Amino acid sequence: EGAGRHAGPAGAEPESREGRATEQVDLAIIAVPPAHVATELLELQRLQAARFYTDVASVKAEPIHRAAQLGCDLSAYVASHPLAGREKSGPGAARDDLFLGRPWALCPTEEADPEAKAAVLRLIELCGANAVEVSATDHDRAVAVVSHAPHVAASAVAARLADATDVALGLAGQGVRDVTRIAGSDPGLWLGILSGNASPVAEVLEAVAHDLADAASALRALAEGDGTATGEITQLLKRGVVGHDRIPGKHGGPASSYAVVQVVIGDRPGQLARLFQVCDEVGVNVEDVRLEHAPGLPLGIAELSVEPDAAATLSEALRERGWQVP
């Protein structure tokens, strides 16, 4: 398999855009913003760059519709989307395990050749991802809920910090960092994504805005002495817990409940390695880890998520080795 090389017209030696002869590849991967997928596909097919084509844009319905309008050969094209992005961009943010165990949607049309679909499935397998076949429309509605609208919501929260006082920022903890992490992504990139999936994202944001408006009204009433207003806020918080618990857990399986072991850790080289060494020595697998730094101090808290029946064993082993476990 290969990607990004271009071939010449029918009956001619394949050639690149620079005019260099090259061999036609099995699969070309189109990695451009959603609005440019169809035109790039048309050009690649004109040059006979590959036998089959896919793309990795995070919007699917509009590029497929546009490709049909332009007269692209949809039998050789299977749209796809690896859901493994990061808030960082560019070659320096690349990781060899980026797709490992992550869902990778593929959206074959009725015209798609089975061999084209097989080629994309092989790519997904090579990357260690999990293939999820879904229609383009269902894909776009789904990512509006789990990716696109959350990004806008995170940006809205982060935007409040732009004019926040130094006192407020000095009190910022891990919670606000978690909520706003993805808001650090490239605005230009996200404008293209949101524009290509505008209607589904708008529907989700309208529902979120409705919940927030109701919560704000209830809080106003509570501030004015209406004790009954807590009911609506409580219901929203409970619905949030239900939704949070439905997020798939490790390796895409059912969500699991882990015990959290907190450890005071110095901000010095090698501390995490020493901490994980203890876990290895006592045979405790760390399911997840997060760090919270103490403002103004050269230390922080490491929170290790482990199986509940392993928490006591790990805590005791850490204390025996001199670690401070609150």
Side-chain angles (χ1 to χ4, degrees), residues 67-158:
Q69 285 184 322
L70 293 177
C72 296
D73 178 10
L74 296 185
S75 69
Y77 169 56
V78 175
S80 74
H81 175 208
L83 285 92
R86 302 177 66 198
E87 73 278 12
K88 306 296 183 182
S89 61
R95 286 175 19 192
D96 59 1
D97 63 346
L98 183 62
F99 305 108
L100 192 62
R102 301 301 300 274
W104 190 316
L106 69 157
C107 308
T109 62
E110 293 182 356
E111 299 92 337
D113 188 312
E115 287 191 65
K117 178 180 172 181
V120 178
L121 285 170
R122 176 59 177 154
L123 168 67
I124 296 172
E125 179 185 359
L126 288 171
C127 292
N130 299 322
V132 180
E133 185 171 341
V134 62
S135 74
T137 300
D138 287 346
H139 167 276
D140 288 357
R141 288 174 178 162
V143 295
V145 174
V146 302
S147 176
H148 300 170
H151 188 94
V152 178
S155 296
V157 174

Side-chain angles (χ1 to χ4, degrees), residues 89-295:
S89 61
R95 286 175 19 192
D96 59 1
D97 63 346
L98 183 62
F99 305 108
L100 192 62
R102 301 301 300 274
W104 190 316
L106 69 157
C107 308
T109 62
E110 293 182 356
E111 299 92 337
D113 188 312
E115 287 191 65
K117 178 180 172 181
V120 178
L121 285 170
R122 176 59 177 154
L123 168 67
I124 296 172
E125 179 185 359
L126 288 171
C127 292
N130 299 322
V132 180
E133 185 171 341
V134 62
S135 74
T137 300
D138 287 346
H139 167 276
D140 288 357
R141 288 174 178 162
V143 295
V145 174
V146 302
S147 176
H148 300 170
H151 188 94
V152 178
S155 296
V157 174
R160 298 302 93 210
L161 303 178
D163 299 320
T165 65
D166 290 341
V167 172
L169 295 176
L171 295 174
Q174 193 61 39
V176 72
R177 291 185 176 90
D178 288 344
V179 171
T180 61
R181 179 183 61 83
I182 57 176
S185 300
D186 178 16
L189 172 67
W190 271 93
L191 178 59
I193 293 171
L194 296 171
S195 298
N197 201 26
S199 182
V201 175
E203 290 178 8
V204 178
L205 290 178
E206 286 165 354
V208 172
H210 177 76
D211 282 342
L212 293 177
D214 285 349
S217 296
L219 289 170
R220 290 290 184 192
L222 185 62
E224 294 169 1
D226 182 1
T228 64
T230 59
E232 191 157 5
I233 301 170
T234 300
Q235 286 303 310
L236 176 60
L237 296 176
K238 287 182 176 179
R239 284 167 50 210
V241 171
V242 171
H244 174 271
D245 290 347
R246 292 194 65 202
I247 299 174
K250 189 176 179 181
H251 307 310
S256 301
S257 296
Y258 298 117
V260 176
V261 176
Q262 294 186 324
V263 189
V264 177
I265 184 170
D267 190 7
R268 301 188 303 275
Q271 292 300 291
L272 276 176
R274 290 182 54 233
L275 184 59
F276 290 137
Q277 180 63 35
V278 177
C279 298
D280 181 56
E281 290 172 359
V282 297
V284 172
N285 187 52
V286 177
E287 307 292 343
D288 199 2
V289 61
R290 58 183 273 174
L291 298 175
E292 183 168 358
H293 299 282

